[in-house]
Amino acid sequence: MGDKGRFDEWEARLWERLAGLLPTTEDAGSFRDSREIGEQEAGIWFLLERLTALELPVDETTAAEIEVLAEHWGERASVHHRIDACARDRDRAASVRLVPDSEAVPGDARAAGITAGPVARMTVVPWIECTHCPSVLSRAHAEDAPGLPGYLAARYLVSRPDRDVPDIYATTDLLHAFESVLTCG
């Protein structure tokens, strides 16, 4: 099965689990319906609106999963503040967490150990980190204009404590990159 098929399966399972966070069958049904009719972006907005309005807690891993889902659908930058505003369930152990905005400082890919190729000229932003080891999934952005990183990630990088150079993933491999941090490689 190709990467698209793997992502679709992961998304379907995640979508169902996220629907289970909503307190009413009406809310859960509206959320499910948005995916069925191909309006995933609207579904993500609806989910986050209900989670924040009702102050429903999500654990750190679920927040990261929602952010990956939003990234895939091109909505991450638009909904990041809503994901960040969700109440957190501190009682559930998390395997990953979103890098806090105060620590998500953009840097040069060369400083991350990438010295050749187009990725070496990109801006790298730490995004999701493992809670068990120092592995980090970062978004790498090409410049839209001199000194301004692009809106969407052009690659994903996973840095690990046992490697000098991060693993580089294409945008179509977002799920692989996320899973590698989720499972500590």
Side-chain angles (χ1 to χ4, degrees):
M1 174 182 311
D3 288 334
K4 182 174 176 4
R6 281 190 73 245
F7 188 90
D8 289 346
E9 283 185 8
W10 175 80
E11 180 186 45
R13 287 189 309 273
L14 177 61
W15 208 271
E16 192 59 34
R17 202 162 34 87
L18 294 173
L21 297 175
L22 298 169
T24 68
T25 55
E26 183 179 319
D27 280 349
S30 293
F31 178 65
R32 285 183 185 105
D33 290 348
S34 63
R35 183 170 187 269
E36 290 298 317
I37 64 171
E39 293 292 335
Q40 286 86 342
E41 298 90 339
I44 293 166
W45 279 87
F46 176 79
L47 172 71
L48 292 169
E49 187 277 323
R50 298 307 294 151
L51 290 175
T52 54
L54 299 172
E55 298 180 3
L56 299 170
V58 296
D59 63 81
E60 295 291 342
T61 300
T62 301
E65 290 170 325
I66 295 169
E67 188 121 344
V68 168
L69 187 63
E71 173 82 359
H72 174 76
W73 289 105
E75 293 292 315
R76 192 207 60 79
S78 299
V79 299
H80 172 73
H81 67 285
R82 287 178 171 260
I83 296 168
D84 202 37
C86 287
R88 292 296 194 264
D89 181 352
R90 306 279 184 218
D91 294 334
R92 288 193 52 181
S95 55
V96 295
R97 73 178 186 119
L98 295 172
V99 173
D101 290 342
S102 62
E103 297 172 23
V105 178
D108 188 282
R110 288 180 287 273
I114 300 173
T115 58
V119 177
R121 295 184 298 279
M122 292 184 184
T123 300
V124 176
V125 182
W127 182 27
I128 298 170
E129 62 188 356
C130 178
T131 59
H132 306 293
C133 76
S135 295
V136 176
L137 168 58
S138 300
R139 296 181 325 276
H141 297 265
E143 290 184 349
D144 278 347
L148 296 173
Y151 180 74
L152 299 175
R155 295 281 188 277
Y156 300 102
L157 308 178
V158 175
S159 57
R160 300 184 188 292
D162 60 342
R163 298 187 189 151
D164 293 334
V165 178
D167 297 328
I168 301 171
Y169 295 85
T171 56
T172 56
D173 289 331
L174 172 57
L175 181 57
H176 287 271
F178 178 61
E179 287 173 334
S180 74
V181 173
L182 192 62
T183 60
C184 285

